[in-house]
Amino acid sequence: MPRLLHLADLHLGWRPRDLDDARANSRRARRDALLEHAVDTALAEHVDAVVIAGDLFETFDPDGALVERTLLQLERLRDAGVHVVGVPGNHDELTYPTSVYRSLVERWPGLLVTSPTPTKVGTLDVHGEPLHVYGLAYVGGVTDVRTATRDLPAPAGDGTHIFVAHGTLMAPGVSSAASERSLPLDRDALAAAGYDYVALGHVHAPAIHRLGATLAVYPGCVGGKGLDDLGSRHWTIVDLERGSADVREVAAPVQPLRHVTLDVTAMAGRQAIDDAIASLADEAALVRVRLVGALPTTLDLAALTERARGDFFHLEIRDETTAVSEALLDAWAAVPTVRGSFVRRMRRRLDTAADDAERARITRALLHGIDALQERV
């Protein structure tokens, strides 16, 4: 039973543009170290092969020092008897004359998919049993994306059979991707081919698709590239048998990226909002806080962010609150609507409140009610 570590979209060498130099360099170094962690995981999990389904690098022409560090890690696998299978992606594309993979053909410590059309790449020996590898690499001007994955080599012979590609698995009834560099993959053809496993890259969100009896898997971008790309946060381990594949996750040591929503309606003033954000503090994390609800005044978002910034590696605050001023309440109260009736009733309760504590409770109830009614008017 072959065991695989399925990787894709590591994007080694990527550097964020929205951070200062020190933090951007720190982010890059931490993400670039993920390959070493992946190799450590492969060895600890006793995998037989590591399959890298494209975009190992952020660019087709990464700096030489990064390439050498990458090769050292891949050679650790080879030296431990672990097979290495790779295919170029759309960031580190094979198309260009200076593509890193053109210079690595002779140095790649395993099987490297370079054929612009689907083909059998080779056969690996796994404990005396054959593991057959098929795939293709998109090459601009050569790969005909209209037909590239409609005519696939049929699995033949004993052992297990995997197909490797970096592209977009098309939805049923859809035949073309937004860009040919995204390499549209025909799901019906892949299902009909009958591979034991289809190892894909390109889609950063992890996903498992069943194509007939075959699993087609995107492991995702393990270490997300930002707050709009949170990453999978796990490695994908696959145990293969003829006709079946078992997929499981192993946690990866990635830098935390988080989305948090805070309803500030019941919060009494600026300090309460500051305290709520401070409770999320994590100097290692990149965090996006979305503020929702209703407030009696507008927020000074820049000042709020500045006060909290030091508690995070990176902090982004989005203000989606509704500012409910007295003038706005007057306007709503004057209109014969559900909201207007609610405002008039709550104002009468405010007028008869026994003390400040009761007035504060009624005010919070008013704001909660306004927030709940926002989508109904």
Side-chain angles (χ1 to χ4, degrees):
M1 177 189 293
R3 174 172 291 177
L4 313 178
L5 170 60
H6 178 185
L7 304 174
D9 300 286
L10 289 179
H11 291 277
L12 303 179
W14 174 78
R15 185 178 185 275
R17 299 178 181 177
D18 57 346
L19 302 176
D20 61 57
D21 283 346
R23 290 175 190 255
N25 290 336
S26 172
R27 278 280 285 146
R28 172 179 171 169
R30 185 159 181 169
R31 289 190 78 265
D32 285 354
L34 284 172
L35 179 60
E36 181 177 356
H37 291 301
V39 172
D40 291 342
T41 299
L43 298 178
E45 291 285 336
H46 306 290
V47 306
D48 301 300
V50 172
V51 178
I52 306 170
D55 282 355
L56 174 60
F57 299 104
E58 171 65 8
T59 175
F60 68 88
D61 190 19
D63 69 75
L66 174 62
V67 173
E68 293 304 318
R69 291 196 301 272
T70 300
L71 282 173
L72 282 175
Q73 293 304 321
L74 299 182
E75 287 164 358
R76 286 178 61 203
L77 294 169
R78 179 200 61 197
D79 295 345
V82 178
H83 298 289
V84 179
V85 178
V87 63
N90 64 307
H91 278 249
D92 53 6
E93 198 172 301
L94 187 60
T95 301
Y96 305 98
T98 56
S99 170
V100 61
Y101 291 107
R102 295 188 184 276
S103 63
L104 286 181
V105 167
E106 300 299 326
R107 300 181 64 196
W108 185 264
L111 287 180
L112 182 61
V113 181
T114 58
S115 172
T117 58
T119 189
K120 182 173 181 178
V121 182
T123 299
L124 307 175
D125 184 306
V126 177
H127 311 302
E129 296 292 328
L131 172 61
H132 306 283
V133 180
Y134 309 78
L136 81 159
Y138 170 80
V139 179
V142 180
T143 302
D144 185 349
V145 298
R146 296 167 300 177
T147 60
T149 60
R150 293 181 188 172
D151 184 16
L152 300 173
D158 294 335
T160 47
H161 303 259
I162 66 171
F163 184 88
V164 185
H166 188 88
T168 304
L169 190 63
M170 303 310 297
V174 178
S175 59
S176 62
S179 164
E180 72 169 35
R181 294 178 62 238
S182 296
L183 186 60
L185 301 171
D186 189 309
R187 64 174 55 225
D188 292 334
L190 286 167
Y195 301 112
D196 298 306
Y197 185 74
V198 175
L200 300 177
H202 184 53
V203 175
H204 282 201
I208 298 177
H209 301 270
R210 182 162 289 282
L211 309 179
T214 302
L215 287 188
V217 175
Y218 287 102
C221 175
V222 64
K225 294 173 75 174
L227 290 170
D228 291 314
D229 179 8
L230 298 181
S232 68
R233 307 181 184 95
H234 66 256
W235 306 117
T236 299
I237 304 292
V238 186
D239 287 305
L240 289 177
E241 288 189 61
R242 189 72 177 100
S244 70
D246 180 63
V247 180
R248 61 185 172 88
E249 301 173 358
V250 174
V254 298
Q255 188 166 16
L257 293 94
R258 300 193 186 107
H259 289 173
V260 180
T261 298
L262 290 178
D263 188 337
V264 300
T265 304
M267 296 183 187
R270 188 188 87 175
Q271 188 59 52
I273 297 174
D274 283 355
D275 291 345
I277 294 174
S279 71
L280 306 171
D282 184 342
E283 292 184 353
L286 291 83
V287 179
R288 175 181 292 161
V289 178
R290 175 173 164 259
L291 301 179
V292 300
L295 290 169
T297 185
T298 57
L299 289 170
D300 185 339
L301 194 60
L304 178 61
T305 304
E306 188 59 35
R307 290 194 298 273
R309 189 188 306 277
D311 293 331
F312 301 85
F313 186 89
H314 174 73
L315 175 65
E316 175 185 313
I317 302 178
R318 294 189 172 183
D319 181 8
E320 298 179 19
T321 61
T322 300
V324 184
S325 65
E326 286 298 319
L328 186 57
L329 288 173
D330 288 342
W332 285 339
V335 179
T337 61
V338 172
R339 182 172 58 188
S341 175
F342 172 74
V343 171
R344 291 192 296 272
R345 185 169 68 253
M346 296 304 289
R347 278 184 151 182
R348 287 194 295 270
R349 290 184 60 187
L350 282 170
D351 289 341
T352 59
D355 52 34
D356 288 344
E358 183 180 358
R359 189 170 292 105
R361 286 194 298 272
I362 296 170
T363 298
R364 288 195 293 272
L366 169 62
L367 293 174
H368 272 299
I370 291 296
D371 186 52
L373 288 167
Q374 281 298 95
E375 295 183 2
R376 298 174 55 184
V377 296

